[in-house]
Amino acid sequence: MRILLTGGAGFIGQHVHRQLVAEGHDIVVLDSLRADVHQNPPALDGLIVGDIRDAEVVDRALDGVDKVVHLAAKVGLGVDLDDMDDYVSSNSLGTAVLLRAMGRRKVRQLVYASSMVVYGEGRYECDRHGVVAPGPRRVQDLEGGQFEPPCPFCGDPLRPGLVDETAPTDPRNTYAATKLNGEHLAVAWCRETGGRVAAMRFHNVYGPGMPRNTPYAGVAALFRSALERGEAPRVFEDGRQRRDFVHVGDVATAVTAAAGALGDHPQFAAYNVGSGTVRTIGDLAEELSRAYGGPAPVVTGDYRLGDVRHITASSERLRETLHWKPDYDLRTGITDLLNS
């Protein structure tokens, strides 16, 4: 099978590339190798260096392709408001250019890299009002160290839980909005072309090859870089933010499982891709400090307004439908990271 892998030179992309090659596929990689992400670009067979927004480059990359795995994106929460147009252009416009070219080339199968950030805050229950959706957290509460969102009706404390793919979406930063927009574009494309799309809503991905020393690095990479400098990881808020940290190797097998199932796939389906184990940001910092033999984490009380408090999701649909399961828990995943 000939597969176009966009963003194949990136962190997740390189792992997906290795997995697809191991499964015997012929891979074409399209990557812009943008300088703010790729300080040391990898050498990949079949690499086309070009921008996903360049229609001529995308059309050339699709020559002879049977299906597409679309990972190319500008990632991260964003540095400041000045990033907004770059996120929209890179992610939303880039996806639209790709989908248009796929339609013209009659390539009808797509795996799209989405994100758990499309949900905004996770699932919460109030003892009095049942399942509720808290509003955005207020600056005055965060400044005062009140990090938990209250019930929007009575102000009582809430219990966080797991979201599934049927949960309402509520993107709360520009990156999240563009990831959800990509899903909506893919749904429209399916209706127009009869295509098949699997949208993979990745959780907090970590592992060998994580980007570091860039404004868009994830929290695991930031903690690791601090420890390698001999510094304590700096944990925002109180460290009790709930997340699902999933090893990049498990993400790669989830992506290839979805790619392999597209022939018998619904027109569009979303899948949460996580380890299935709820941990906290503080847990991650402690595990990394222990593994690196470094200083204990420092809980700062700082915050970023675009962050959500808790977001963890069930990956049962992925496990049951595509017969996938993760191979790493947080401790074995960090050991793999340490040895990389």
Side-chain angles (χ1 to χ4, degrees), residues 123-203:
R123 184 180 190 274
Y124 292 86
E125 288 189 50
C126 172
D127 287 338
R128 285 200 277 174
H129 295 98
V131 177
V132 298
R137 295 187 294 171
R138 302 183 305 172
V139 171
Q140 56 265 42
D141 291 337
L142 296 169
E143 290 284 357
Q146 299 177 34
F147 302 120
E148 296 288 349
C151 175
F153 302 107
C154 66
D156 283 356
L158 298 173
R159 294 189 307 277
L162 302 181
V163 298
D164 65 20
E165 293 87 351
T166 66
T169 52
D170 183 19
R172 297 195 174 186
N173 57 59
T174 303
Y175 170 66
T178 63
K179 287 282 96 178
L180 183 58
N181 182 236
E183 290 193 20
H184 291 164
L185 291 170
V187 170
W189 176 83
C190 287
R191 290 172 178 163
E192 292 287 337
T193 66
R196 300 285 184 268
V197 176
M200 314 302 284
R201 293 174 176 171
F202 300 150
H203 278 260

Side-chain angles (χ1 to χ4, degrees), residues 119 163-167 183 197 199-201 265-266 268-273 313-324:
Y119 297 116
V163 298
D164 65 20
E165 293 87 351
T166 66
E183 290 193 20
V197 176
M200 314 302 284
R201 293 174 176 171
H265 197 265
F268 180 91
Y271 300 95
N272 294 326
V273 184
S314 167
S315 297
E316 286 306 305
R317 175 184 287 180
L318 178 62
R319 292 170 182 251
E320 293 175 1
T321 305
L322 302 183
H323 311 294
W324 169 90

Side-chain angles (χ1 to χ4, degrees), residues 297-330:
V298 174
V299 178
T300 67
D302 294 337
Y303 67 89
R304 297 190 304 180
L305 192 58
D307 281 339
V308 297
R309 178 60 175 174
H310 303 298
I311 176 62
T312 53
S314 167
S315 297
E316 286 306 305
R317 175 184 287 180
L318 178 62
R319 292 170 182 251
E320 293 175 1
T321 305
L322 302 183
H323 311 294
W324 169 90
K325 65 179 181 63
D327 291 325
Y328 295 89
D329 60 22
L330 186 58

Side-chain angles (χ1 to χ4, degrees), residues 5-17:
L5 175 61
T6 75
F11 164 44
I12 296 174
Q14 291 183 63
H15 288 267
V16 171
H17 182 271

Side-chain angles (χ1 to χ4, degrees), residues 63-226:
D63 190 33
V65 161
D66 300 294
K67 61 184 69 177
V68 176
V69 175
H70 179 34
L71 305 181
K74 181 181 174 72
V75 301
L77 174 65
V79 179
D80 54 40
L81 196 61
D82 288 341
D83 270 356
M84 181 175 280
D85 55 345
D86 194 15
Y87 274 103
V88 173
S89 178
S90 299
N91 299 353
S92 298
L93 177 60
T95 298
V97 170
L98 173 65
L99 290 170
R100 182 182 66 175
M102 289 177 65
R104 290 177 173 177
R105 284 279 189 170
K106 301 190 184 309
V107 179
R108 297 290 187 256
Q109 298 184 21
L110 173 69
V111 178
Y112 169 68
S114 188
S115 172
M116 55 84 185
V117 297
V118 301
Y119 297 116
E121 288 285 354
R123 184 180 190 274
Y124 292 86
E125 288 189 50
C126 172
D127 287 338
R128 285 200 277 174
H129 295 98
V131 177
V132 298
R137 295 187 294 171
R138 302 183 305 172
V139 171
Q140 56 265 42
D141 291 337
L142 296 169
E143 290 284 357
Q146 299 177 34
F147 302 120
E148 296 288 349
C151 175
F153 302 107
C154 66
D156 283 356
L158 298 173
R159 294 189 307 277
L162 302 181
V163 298
D164 65 20
E165 293 87 351
T166 66
T169 52
D170 183 19
R172 297 195 174 186
N173 57 59
T174 303
Y175 170 66
T178 63
K179 287 282 96 178
L180 183 58
N181 182 236
E183 290 193 20
H184 291 164
L185 291 170
V187 170
W189 176 83
C190 287
R191 290 172 178 163
E192 292 287 337
T193 66
R196 300 285 184 268
V197 176
M200 314 302 284
R201 293 174 176 171
F202 300 150
H203 278 260
N204 293 75
V205 185
Y206 72 96
M210 288 187 305
R212 62 177 88 188
N213 304 320
T214 83
Y216 310 102
V219 66
L222 295 174
F223 291 165
R224 182 190 189 189
S225 293

